[in-house]
Amino acid sequence: DARVTQTPRHKVTEMGQEVTMRCQPILGHNTVFWYRQTMMQGLELLAYFRNRAPLDDSGMPKDRFSAEMPDATLATLKIQPSEPRDSAVYFCASGLGTQYGELSTEAFFGQGTRLTVV
Amino acid sequence: DAKTTQPNSMESNEEEPVHLPCNHSTISGTDYIHWYRQLPSQGPEYVIHGLTSNVNNRMASLAIAEDRKSSTLILHRATLRDAAVYYCILRDVEGGSEKLVFGKGTKLTVNP
């Protein structure tokens, strides 16, 4: 049963600490999305990658957030330094994009990482 | 991204049909209509999508108005497991957009 795997599922950290969230997309998927969900803002798109290259990270605070894909099986979202306002659930999703740039199939979401910054 | 408008919440009874509306009056000719849902404590999951014609799959049906300015997601027999937030999203495929931009969605409550 193919699925997107996110680790850790829960993370509590102190303000100022570095946080790294990991995502294993579905094998063969070439598009990866990072979302953040809070009660106030709902689901916000932070960034997305196609074939490991960042295509759009306009939703991501650049000063403290960074997203990378070291290889096709791993996407990371890093926050340094973390702040209480970063507390949220972070979702990763993957899909299969075509040569024309559109997503040919639905996006599959992971279970999320619940981050609490105290 | 084109905007969609959905009711904040709806209620249904178990085993009854549910019609979830979505207005998208500014839809363009190349916008696909996608529906996702998010169960409590889960990530969103795909439900259905369509362009012009009505669509059916094992989860739901999608009815698209002739002018495409509105659509309705139909759950034929609601179960308790269908209680979730349902999102209606427009995606411009010809624009080469892979983005899924979520709005506030409709929170569906299913009563036993």
Side-chain angles (χ1 to χ4, degrees):
Chain A
D1 184 23
R3 63 182 66 186
V4 175
T5 303
Q6 291 187 248
T7 56
R9 291 293 312 278
H10 302 273
K11 175 74 175 178
V12 180
T13 191
E14 291 185 348
M15 183 173 62
Q17 295 297 304
E18 178 180 297
V19 175
T20 299
M21 290 168 273
R22 293 176 174 80
C23 168
Q24 182 176 352
I26 292 174
L27 191 64
H29 281 185
N30 61 359
T31 306
V32 173
F33 305 86
W34 281 106
Y35 288 86
R36 174 173 65 184
Q37 186 171 36
T38 61
M39 288 293 292
M40 292 298 295
Q41 300 297 326
L43 272 162
E44 301 173 276
L45 178 64
L46 297 176
Y48 80 96
F49 291 75
R50 187 157 184 269
N51 296 325
R52 296 176 56 199
L55 286 192
D56 188 340
D57 60 2
S58 58
M60 202 164 65
K62 301 292 192 304
D63 56 339
R64 298 182 299 108
F65 283 61
S66 62
E68 296 179 344
M69 282 200 72
D71 60 61
T73 64
L74 177 65
T76 62
L77 180 66
K78 189 176 295 186
I79 308 174
Q80 167 64 13
S82 57
E83 297 180 2
R85 60 179 167 151
D86 300 329
S87 298
V89 181
Y90 291 80
F91 288 104
C92 172
S94 73
L96 188 60
T98 72
Q99 60 180 335
Y100 302 108
E102 73 270 19
L103 204 63
S104 66
T105 66
E106 64 264 34
F108 294 83
F109 283 76
Q111 297 280 66
T113 293
R114 181 174 294 277
L115 174 65
T116 303
V117 183
V118 298
Chain B
D1 299 300
K3 299 288 186 187
T4 62
T5 304
Q6 300 178 254
N8 290 332
S9 62
M10 289 186 65
E11 223 171 298
S12 173
N13 295 319
E14 203 175 5
E15 298 194 5
E16 290 184 356
V18 181
H19 291 234
L20 296 162
C22 180
N23 287 319
H24 27 79
S25 58
T26 59
I27 192 170
S28 73
T30 53
D31 281 329
Y32 276 74
I33 303 160
H34 286 245
W35 284 82
Y36 279 72
R37 73 179 184 181
Q38 186 173 20
L39 303 171
S41 302
Q42 304 282 325
E45 64 175 349
Y46 168 84
V47 177
I48 200 166
H49 77 281
L51 183 63
T52 56
S53 305
N54 295 343
V55 184
N56 300 296
N57 66 20
R58 62 177 179 81
M59 289 181 72
S61 295
L62 177 59
I64 301 173
E66 199 168 327
D67 63 4
R68 301 210 325 125
K69 294 187 176 181
S70 66
S71 60
T72 302
L73 179 71
I74 302 166
L75 307 179
H76 295 285
R77 287 184 67 199
T79 69
L80 296 178
R81 196 193 173 276
D82 291 321
V85 179
Y86 287 78
Y87 298 96
C88 171
I89 302 165
L90 299 184
R91 295 188 61 240
D92 182 1
V93 175
E94 283 201 7
S97 171
E98 296 165 292
K99 287 187 188 182
L100 279 171
V101 179
F102 289 80
K104 298 297 184 184
T106 297
K107 183 175 182 179
L108 175 66
T109 301
V110 180
N111 300 312

